[in-house]
Amino acid sequence: MISSCRLLLCCLLTGAVHASAAHAAPDAADTADAPDAATSTYLAQDGAPGAPAITVYAAGDIADCRYSRPQFSSAARTADLIAAGLARDAGAVVLSLGDHSYPEGVAAEFEHCYQPTWGRFKARTHPAPGNHEYATGDAGGYFDYFGAQAGPQRRGYYSFALGAWRVVSLNSDLHGAADAAQLLWLKDQLARHRARCTLAYWHAPLYSSGGHAASAHMRAAWQALYEAGADVVLSGHDHDYERFAPQDADGRADPLHGIRQFVAGTGGAFLTPMRWPKPNSEVRDNSHHGVLKLVLADGGYAWDFLSADDGNAAPDYPPPALRDSGSAACHGRPPGD
């Protein structure tokens, strides 16, 4: 009898199961935090065959209450999307991709804007810091709000297991010696945890067709991930949605061993213009708030962008529906490793 997990993997790799229909099993533990009773049953060794699939909801650039009350903000709409998914699946988790609150990420913004929206599922969120968190210099509001969930020693990077996947949260606002220390830590983590499938996420993307300049200092992290056979990178920063074909750290298409990057800065902050398309950009949209849903299976993954915008809000000029979905297999390390 074929197990449900192996059946899901077969469907993912053939594209037979749409991401929104795939079932995910309960959460694996964050190595930086002690697991609660609900998740301890599902702990698995990295890369363990038959590990349960995990559903992930991800977006960045989230709560901005300068122009509306929290309950009427775009962050409330994306939060409703996520909350509905979490209610159906006790093991699903959230990856927040930085810039949680605007404009400066201070404690009052987290309390009065983020908490009423995305704070509803704070306990199931694995965050990464963004540049707005550092508007105060030390991202104190962010680290105070998330505590141990933001990783040890207030450094803003950590790793954990989700089913068969190794997941790495990085801090794209580190520079100089702090960034060098993060890179050494990343290489050590990738050497120690040789999972079949790896996902990394941070705020400011290396590749983007949006308005911000490329975060070139993250190229070294991309290279380390590429050499380790990583499969997916998630970022925000540009307030839009974009999916890139698999590529290496120098922006060359590599369908066999490249990393697929998603930009999902669509968590609720105002959407921003896009510039000329970058090489290997496959899907671009700056008309919809929403969240990226991923199903991380044993040996593959599926994605589905879920729009939170109400098509009836502007009946005369409704934005065209955005539905980007697909699936892929994990590919392992490139030759020569």
Side-chain angles (χ1 to χ4, degrees):
M1 180 178 179
I2 300 176
S3 70
S4 59
C5 180
R6 294 188 182 279
L7 179 58
L8 171 62
L9 174 59
C10 292
C11 293
L12 283 172
L13 301 188
T14 60
V17 172
H18 194 272
S20 61
H23 175 72
D27 186 18
D30 180 347
T31 56
D33 305 301
D36 58 28
T39 63
S40 60
T41 306
Y42 300 96
L43 297 180
Q45 294 181 351
D46 296 343
I54 305 292
T55 297
V56 168
Y57 297 93
D61 308 277
I62 301 166
D64 189 346
C65 297
R66 291 174 290 181
Y67 313 111
S68 65
R69 295 180 180 181
Q71 64 268 35
F72 304 122
S73 68
S74 296
R77 299 202 304 274
T78 56
D80 287 343
L81 264 183
I82 295 173
L86 298 181
R88 292 191 297 266
D89 184 350
V93 300
V94 178
L95 305 182
S96 54
L97 309 179
D99 283 5
H100 295 76
S101 66
Y102 289 82
E104 296 181 331
V106 296
E109 293 167 12
F110 274 97
E111 178 183 357
H112 299 298
C113 190
Y114 184 87
Q115 179 60 32
T117 55
W118 281 48
R120 293 155 53 191
F121 33 81
K122 174 183 175 183
R124 296 167 70 173
T125 299
H126 301 280
N131 58 293
H132 278 267
E133 277 83 352
Y134 281 93
T136 58
D138 62 356
Y142 166 81
F143 287 114
D144 289 343
Y145 178 80
F146 282 109
Q149 288 172 257
Q153 303 172 13
R154 299 170 78 91
R155 65 192 185 186
Y157 54 89
Y158 56 97
S159 76
F160 54 101
L162 281 181
W165 285 65
R166 171 56 43 176
V167 180
V168 182
S169 177
L170 296 179
N171 186 343
S172 59
D173 267 80
L174 296 180
H175 300 277
D179 188 34
Q182 175 175 242
L183 182 60
L184 289 175
W185 171 89
L186 172 62
K187 292 178 178 179
D188 177 70
Q189 287 290 302
L190 295 172
R192 290 172 53 198
H193 302 286
R194 291 197 168 214
R196 182 178 181 185
C197 304
T198 300
L199 178 150
Y201 62 104
W202 60 81
H203 180 62
L206 178 59
Y207 301 110
S208 176
S209 301
H212 289 102
S215 296
H217 72 285
M218 297 304 293
R219 193 178 310 278
W222 189 290
Q223 182 63 31
L225 290 161
Y226 176 83
E227 292 173 359
D231 303 280
V232 177
V233 162
L234 309 179
S235 292
H237 198 38
D238 283 315
H239 300 185
D240 54 46
Y241 173 77
E242 187 167 17
R243 172 169 57 82
F244 284 84
Q247 53 191 330
D248 65 14
D250 295 315
R252 294 183 295 248
D254 185 349
L256 295 181
H257 298 100
I259 302 174
R260 187 186 307 277
Q261 181 194 265
F262 297 86
V263 176
T266 51
F270 62 92
L271 300 171
T272 53
M274 304 190 81
R275 301 188 297 182
W276 293 106
K278 296 293 186 183
N280 305 313
S281 175
E282 294 185 321
V283 175
R284 297 172 301 282
D285 180 89
N286 64 341
S287 300
H288 299 81
H289 290 97
V291 297
L292 177 65
K293 178 181 178 180
L294 297 170
V295 177
L296 307 181
D298 184 4
Y301 62 97
W303 70 87
D304 192 1
F305 181 81
L306 308 178
S307 174
D309 288 327
D310 182 0
N312 295 321
D316 294 332
Y317 300 98
L322 171 67
R323 198 62 183 270
D324 179 41
S325 61
S327 61
C330 297
H331 51 62
R333 297 169 182 257
D337 180 71

